[in-house]
Amino acid sequence: MRLKTEFEFEAAHKLEGYNGKCANLHGHRWKVVIFVEGKDELIDENGILWDFNNAYEIKEELEHKYLNEILSVSPSAENIALWILKKLKDNNKNLLFKVRVYENAKSYAEVGDIEKQKA
Ligand SMILES: [Zn+2]
């Protein structure tokens, strides 16, 4: 069974020590796509493999925040993707996840356990 959901959030960051525009405080409208995969047997009595509401909770943690205060590492798209993936895996040890974080419409970082799933 495979699930996919996505959400967007607005948040500020700066990449400290980076030699370029992203060293200055600025915001993005980030887009996050979450892929979930698990065995059919893991679907619970409500018919749910992974609650889409989990994505909403992550969105709420990030919405209108200063990401440098949330992540312990430089809040690049790569590190935001890793941060979300860790959160997902910590809460759902039996499922596989893939996280894609778009910094803009054309550029994203992707990380996770699911290799073959298409867009
Ligand atoms: Zn940026």
Side-chain angles (χ1 to χ4, degrees):
M1 178 66 62
R2 287 180 288 277
L3 310 177
K4 176 189 168 189
T5 189
E6 56 186 74
F7 62 87
E8 294 182 338
F9 67 97
E10 292 179 2
H13 77 164
K14 63 178 176 181
L15 301 184
E16 311 247 11
Y18 173 76
N19 186 19
K21 279 196 298 188
C22 270
N24 299 320
L25 178 62
H26 64 284
H28 291 268
R29 181 161 188 85
W30 306 86
K31 184 171 109 176
V32 176
V33 186
I34 297 174
F35 301 85
V36 184
E37 187 173 323
K39 291 192 185 336
D40 297 352
E41 300 84 73
L42 295 172
I43 297 171
D44 70 14
E45 62 278 11
N46 297 311
I48 292 173
L49 178 70
W50 177 83
D51 194 336
F52 290 119
N53 204 39
N54 291 317
Y56 180 77
E57 288 176 10
I58 294 172
K59 172 185 163 79
E60 287 300 291
E61 273 192 73
L62 298 170
E63 185 76 271
H64 288 128
K65 296 287 171 53
Y66 178 39
L67 298 176
N68 294 62
E69 291 176 349
I70 294 182
L71 275 72
S72 58
V73 292
S74 183
S76 60
E78 291 88 331
N79 281 332
I80 295 167
L82 285 167
W83 184 86
I84 293 172
L85 180 68
K86 180 177 189 320
K87 190 171 280 289
L88 293 168
K89 290 174 78 167
D90 285 351
N91 291 330
N92 301 274
K93 305 233 183 280
N94 296 321
L95 300 175
L96 298 177
F97 294 98
K98 184 167 80 177
V99 177
R100 189 179 288 170
V101 174
Y102 286 82
E103 170 172 298
N104 57 48
K106 293 184 176 168
S107 306
Y108 67 76
E110 183 176 278
V111 66
D113 307 314
I114 304 172
E115 294 293 336
K116 288 182 188 143
Q117 192 171 10
K118 298 215 168 74

